[in-house]
Amino acid sequence: MDFSAYTRFHALAQDRRSCRNYLPQPVDRSLLLAILDAARLSPSAVNRQPVRYIVLDAEADPEVRDIILKVYNRPWIATAPVYIVAVGMHDQAWHRPCDGKDHADIDVAIAVEHICLAASALGLGSCWVCNFEAPELHRLLQLGSDEEPVAIIPIGYPADADAPRRGRKSLDEIVQWGRKA
């Protein structure tokens, strides 16, 4: 069995980390398009693809940082040159028939991780940001009533190449083989 593709993927997953300090350097649009294309390829429930991406370029629009800081007031986020806002579209999402479970958040989460892995593969840093004032961002971006900003992903070149890694639980702590007796 050839594990070479898995080895490359594992290295990428292991190297990806949350970046909270970016260089003041613009990100080329071709890199952003590659990242967004990786998100486009992410799976979604019943292939509904209930997500869209709003790309906010702080280099092109100086008001972008004010918008981001208004909904997530942490100084580190202002160092990013670009922000991707992942928006869930609840009216387009698949809803599980037995209980109506809306899968928009799950589909957005898969896409956001594709964004983060693609950014890492391209030498860029990223970070999931979910602890923000969603109603205010909804208003500022003039989103529709069935749209929800689920995550803000700052993108840029990491200023700290050797950012500390956070510990991960062992497989024994998170895996159960078979059902409980």
Side-chain angles (χ1 to χ4, degrees):
M1 189 173 293
D2 182 9
F3 274 84
S4 59
Y6 171 77
T7 302
R8 289 190 306 275
F9 172 76
H10 189 272
L12 177 62
Q14 191 170 34
D15 286 345
R16 194 222 61 84
R17 67 186 100 237
S18 295
C19 180
R20 290 185 178 87
N21 191 13
Y22 299 89
L23 294 174
Q25 180 179 343
V27 176
D28 190 85
R29 185 171 285 230
S30 64
L31 296 176
L32 294 171
L33 287 170
I35 290 166
L36 293 163
D37 195 45
R40 179 185 68 84
L41 295 173
S42 66
S44 64
V46 193
N47 198 29
R48 294 282 179 90
Q49 304 172 51
V51 60
R52 73 181 178 107
Y53 312 96
I54 300 172
V55 181
L56 301 173
D57 185 339
E59 303 296 316
D61 181 356
E63 292 180 21
V64 162
R65 283 195 177 91
D66 294 336
I67 290 170
I68 296 298
L69 286 169
K70 189 170 196 167
V71 299
Y72 183 75
N73 191 11
R74 307 293 191 288
W76 72 264
I77 202 164
T79 66
V82 176
Y83 308 90
I84 298 173
V85 179
V87 176
M89 298 158 51
H90 295 285
D91 62 338
Q92 296 180 25
W94 179 72
H95 295 80
R96 188 169 45 209
C98 69
D99 62 0
K101 167 72 175 145
D102 179 341
H103 276 67
D105 287 349
I106 295 167
D107 295 340
V108 171
I110 296 167
V112 169
E113 188 56 14
H114 274 56
I115 287 170
C116 293
L117 288 170
S120 185
L122 294 168
L124 296 166
S126 65
C127 185
W128 281 69
V129 176
C130 296
N131 182 22
F132 60 91
E133 298 295 327
E136 181 66 6
L137 187 58
H138 186 279
R139 186 186 70 74
L140 290 167
L141 295 179
Q142 301 177 9
L143 299 178
S145 62
D146 232 30
E147 295 179 304
E148 177 189 5
V150 176
I152 301 169
I153 308 104
I155 302 281
Y157 292 94
D160 304 321
D162 297 325
R165 293 179 192 228
R166 294 194 176 199
R168 308 306 298 169
K169 291 181 179 180
S170 71
L171 284 174
D172 290 339
E173 293 176 277
I174 63 170
V175 175
Q176 174 182 319
W177 296 94
R179 59 192 185 105
K180 292 184 178 184

